[in-house]
Amino acid sequence: MGKIIKNPEPLEASYVPGYLINRDIEIDSLRKNVVFPVMRGLSSNIFIYGQSGTGKTVTLRFLASMETGCYFHYENAISVGSFKRIVVKILSSLGKQVSEKQPFDSLFMALKRSTSMPIILVVDECLNLVKTDPDGLYNVLRSAELYDLRMGLILASVDNPALHMTSREIRRIGIFNEMKFNKYSTSDLSGILDHRSKESLYDGVIEPEIIDGIASISERSGSARMAIEILQKAAFISEYDNRRTIDMETVRKASAMINPYITESKLMELDQKELLILLSICQVLERNVDATMEHITDQIGVNFETRDQPIPDLPLIYRAIRHLESLDIVEGVRESLGRGKGVKKRFFMGDLPVSVLIQKIFEIIE
């Protein structure tokens, strides 16, 4: 590896770290509601759901790595066509080859003979499978009652699977638990990125304010997956360019590769004054991680005087910036100055490299 990356593995979204940021409650709930009951011979199932990047998969993989008293089997539902196929794959992983044509009772009896350990079956991205195979879902969820099998089921999806089931199907499968994974906060994302960067990058490669900048970009989605991917791409770009550090402009380039929000059509909605105000913000951000109103107004004065235009007053500047925020071109964050001292607002731009945006603005105004 070069001067940036010492270990690329922690930069992969699929990497399972030794500690998870802000998922202790979810881990404890999974242990309480599924793992411990199944280990005591009781049937227990749970539906977990939440937006992509909120830590569902990594939490389940982390739990599997920590619990040695159960046999965990993870399956992504996209790669299988039925719950019966999943049971056949569990048997195969235990060294037992059986036909998928066998009925569920034969398959579950084979499972009981194949292992004495309780089984925790994790089915990720399960929504379509829940919709298309209700009979298979019924057999797996009721396996303890119907077949005297010690098996718990964890179903994971972006949406709550129960919302896509009929009331009859819900009554049929019986009682199950539900748990939502909420979006990560900016501080959560900063913690995740700090941990990943320490494991993957050489010392001194990335400063805390750059980590916070990536977290701010990813805060809109609350997605750790997005944050880690930005860090990964920024690291590879920096290494390719023979840099010794990761700067904010490289982070913006990495972000643009993932999710470029700003387009020429948005810029065409702006009038001449708004374009010059946006240009001023970009020029401040070329030199800084974020921009304050003081720096922005100073740069606005320079740009308007250079073009022999009257400098806009503060109300016009504030209206223009609010318009830029409404278009998701610029993002602003209020920051308290302390008790009784008021607040200040910092502005940043996460979705497009500032240098690219400056070029686009010049093409329009000139």
Side-chain angles (χ1 to χ4, degrees):
M1 286 294 160
K3 301 171 183 176
I4 299 291
I5 303 169
K6 64 181 179 182
N7 179 13
E9 188 177 353
L11 295 174
E12 297 290 339
S14 58
Y15 175 73
V16 180
Y19 172 73
L20 296 185
I21 302 291
N22 196 24
R23 286 295 176 253
D24 292 339
I25 293 174
E26 288 80 0
I27 292 170
D28 288 344
S29 180
L30 288 168
R31 283 175 170 153
K32 176 183 176 181
N33 290 302
V34 181
V35 177
F36 293 162
V38 171
M39 290 180 69
R40 288 164 175 77
L42 302 173
S43 173
S44 188
N45 310 292
I46 191 168
F47 288 175
I48 68 171
Y49 59 98
Q51 292 190 19
S52 177
T54 52
K56 300 183 299 297
T57 300
V58 73
T59 298
L60 294 172
R61 291 188 180 278
F62 176 83
L63 184 66
S65 70
M66 298 296 291
E67 298 294 339
T68 57
C70 296
Y71 181 78
F72 269 82
H73 183 90
Y74 174 90
E75 200 70 52
N76 189 301
I78 292 176
S79 63
V80 295
S82 67
F83 281 100
K84 183 178 282 190
R85 176 62 181 157
I86 292 175
V87 176
V88 169
K89 292 186 75 171
I90 298 174
L91 284 164
S92 177
S93 70
L94 293 169
K96 183 78 172 177
Q97 303 301 320
V98 296
S99 170
E100 196 174 333
K101 295 180 180 179
Q102 292 190 36
F104 269 109
D105 57 352
S106 297
L107 294 175
F108 285 133
M109 288 302 296
L111 262 183
K112 289 181 66 174
R113 291 192 297 267
S114 298
T115 179
S116 60
M117 296 179 70
I119 299 168
I120 304 292
L121 171 58
V122 177
V123 184
D124 207 351
E125 300 189 71
C126 70
L127 191 55
N128 283 334
L129 195 56
V130 168
K131 292 178 181 178
T132 59
D133 189 17
D135 288 338
L137 175 64
Y138 171 78
N139 277 277
V140 173
L141 281 172
R142 304 292 291 271
S143 59
E145 176 186 340
L146 297 174
Y147 308 108
D148 193 29
L149 180 69
R150 289 199 299 165
M151 184 168 75
L153 178 63
I154 302 175
L155 291 170
S157 177
V158 172
D159 292 327
N160 184 350
L163 298 178
H164 299 268
M165 300 167 64
T166 66
S167 56
R168 178 179 177 275
E169 288 170 341
I170 292 175
R171 288 195 302 270
R172 186 182 181 213
I173 63 176
I175 298 172
F176 52 84
N177 300 296
E178 299 177 14
M179 180 171 62
K180 181 179 180 180
F181 277 60
N182 293 313
K183 293 180 179 181
Y184 286 109
S185 68
T186 306
S187 60
D188 292 336
L189 293 169
S190 291
I192 292 168
L193 291 166
D194 181 64
H195 185 258
R196 294 290 181 107
S197 65
K198 286 176 179 176
E199 290 194 319
S200 61
L201 307 179
Y202 288 108
D203 292 343
V205 162
I206 188 166
E207 295 294 330
E209 59 264 28
I210 305 300
I211 288 176
D212 291 342
I214 298 175
S216 295
I217 293 170
S218 308
E219 187 269 340
R220 180 190 302 167
S221 64
S223 169
R225 184 174 300 166
M226 177 180 179
I228 293 166
E229 190 173 353
I230 292 173
L231 176 64
Q232 179 195 55
K233 283 181 166 47
F236 280 115
I237 291 170
S238 298
E239 189 156 279
Y240 181 82
D241 291 341
N242 290 318
R243 295 177 178 270
R244 293 185 178 274
T245 59
I246 298 173
D247 60 21
M248 199 61 200
E249 182 69 355
T250 305
V251 167
R252 295 187 187 103
K253 290 178 182 177
S255 177
M257 294 169 66
I258 298 169
N259 205 356
Y261 290 102
I262 297 175
T263 63
E264 284 82 354
S265 62
K266 287 186 178 181
L267 296 180
M268 295 305 293
E269 292 186 29
L270 306 178
D271 61 29
Q272 186 81 359
K273 288 186 175 66
E274 290 172 327
L275 284 169
L276 286 175
I277 291 170
L278 176 58
L279 176 64
S280 302
I281 296 172
C282 291
Q283 289 168 332
V284 173
L285 288 172
E286 273 194 306
R287 305 184 296 270
N288 304 280
V289 172
D290 53 34
T292 64
M293 279 302 300
E294 180 182 3
H295 291 145
I296 291 170
T297 52
D298 287 345
Q299 188 64 46
I300 286 172
V302 172
N303 283 329
F304 276 78
E305 285 183 351
T306 301
R307 290 164 177 79
D308 294 324
Q309 294 190 28
I311 298 173
D313 57 20
L314 280 176
L316 191 153
I317 293 173
Y318 285 130
R319 286 197 301 273
I321 292 177
R322 282 197 296 271
H323 187 204
L324 296 173
E325 289 180 290
S326 71
L327 293 172
D328 289 331
I329 298 175
V330 171
E331 294 189 40
V333 176
R334 294 186 183 275
E335 189 175 81
S336 174
L337 297 175
R339 188 172 182 179
K341 296 182 179 179
V343 297
K344 71 174 181 179
K345 198 167 185 179
R346 298 182 296 110
F347 298 92
F348 62 92
M349 193 173 305
D351 301 312
L352 196 72
V354 170
S355 57
V356 174
L357 190 52
I358 289 174
Q359 182 180 348
K360 289 179 180 293
I361 295 170
F362 275 126
E363 289 172 358
I364 295 172
I365 63 178
E366 296 181 354

